[in-house]
Amino acid sequence: LNSYSQGRKVINYTEIGGLIHQSNTLGNNSKFNGLRTRTGITRIINENYGVGFALGTDNYKRRNGASFNTLPITINAAYFFNPELTGLKADIYGGYSIKIFDSLNRGLTAGAGLSYSVAVNKGLNLGLQTGYNYQEIDFSSNFFQESFNMGSFRIGLGITFK
């Protein structure tokens, strides 16, 4: 039991990726593509499970030029198939995108995904990840507050510091 408690650790995961639009509720068949960044802290709670939080940015750009920017803060849970934190990992997250500047949009965010990482050295993994990202976007239009929901396929590259 003593060695188990010494084995607990905190890791940092940083990711950059693309968001490929799948669906939205705007009703005009608008297509979006986006860029996603995340950095988070995960506490490993046993040899396979971790929980933590992350902060990121998402930029969604509509093909006609309109763009929507979010600053999501999420709570995350991960299952590592390999206790060494390499190989396959499944994750799920949920949170809210806050509006601290006029150029940011707010709304609920959630998603899930899979990633695969390889060890570069004892303290660093590189990985590929994919999954689904849901974002609710609230925005002002002609003095009215409007909102729509968007679902995106995500693919990214990540670095894990362990």
Side-chain angles (χ1 to χ4, degrees), residues 1-48:
L1 186 64
N2 188 20
S3 65
Y4 171 74
S5 65
Q6 292 174 356
R8 291 185 181 187
K9 60 179 148 182
V10 174
I11 62 172
N12 170 266
Y13 180 75
T14 301
E15 169 204 340
I16 186 165
L19 296 165
I20 303 162
H21 170 254
Q22 298 238 326
S23 64
N24 69 53
T25 60
L26 275 175
N28 60 2
N29 290 327
S30 294
K31 297 294 181 190
F32 290 85
N33 287 312
L35 178 67
R36 164 191 168 102
T37 63
R38 290 289 184 282
T39 191
I41 302 287
T42 299
R43 173 89 168 157
I44 305 302
I45 56 175
N46 73 20
E47 61 183 29
N48 295 98

Side-chain angles (χ1 to χ4, degrees), residues 66-85:
S67 65
F68 299 92
N69 301 299
T70 64
L71 183 69
I73 299 172
T74 60
I75 295 174
N76 311 313
Y79 178 79
F80 298 89
F81 288 84
N82 179 353
E84 299 297 318
L85 307 180

Side-chain angles (χ1 to χ4, degrees), residues 31-138:
K31 297 294 181 190
F32 290 85
N33 287 312
L35 178 67
R36 164 191 168 102
T37 63
R38 290 289 184 282
T39 191
I41 302 287
T42 299
R43 173 89 168 157
I44 305 302
I45 56 175
N46 73 20
E47 61 183 29
N48 295 98
Y49 292 97
V51 294
F53 67 92
L55 177 66
T57 60
D58 291 344
N59 174 271
Y60 300 93
K61 186 161 179 72
R62 195 170 9 185
R63 291 191 180 147
N64 71 359
S67 65
F68 299 92
N69 301 299
T70 64
L71 183 69
I73 299 172
T74 60
I75 295 174
N76 311 313
Y79 178 79
F80 298 89
F81 288 84
N82 179 353
E84 299 297 318
L85 307 180
T86 59
L88 195 60
K89 173 185 91 168
D91 66 85
I92 188 168
Y93 60 90
Y96 196 78
S97 294
I98 60 174
K99 181 178 180 71
I100 56 175
F101 302 111
D102 285 340
S103 62
L104 295 174
N105 302 99
R106 61 187 173 104
L108 179 71
T109 187
L114 292 172
S115 65
Y116 189 87
S117 66
V118 294
V120 174
N121 59 39
K122 185 177 179 183
L124 180 70
N125 289 358
L126 291 178
L128 295 171
Q129 68 101 287
T130 187
Y132 179 79
N133 190 68
Y134 168 83
Q135 179 68 56
E136 179 183 278
I137 294 182
D138 294 332

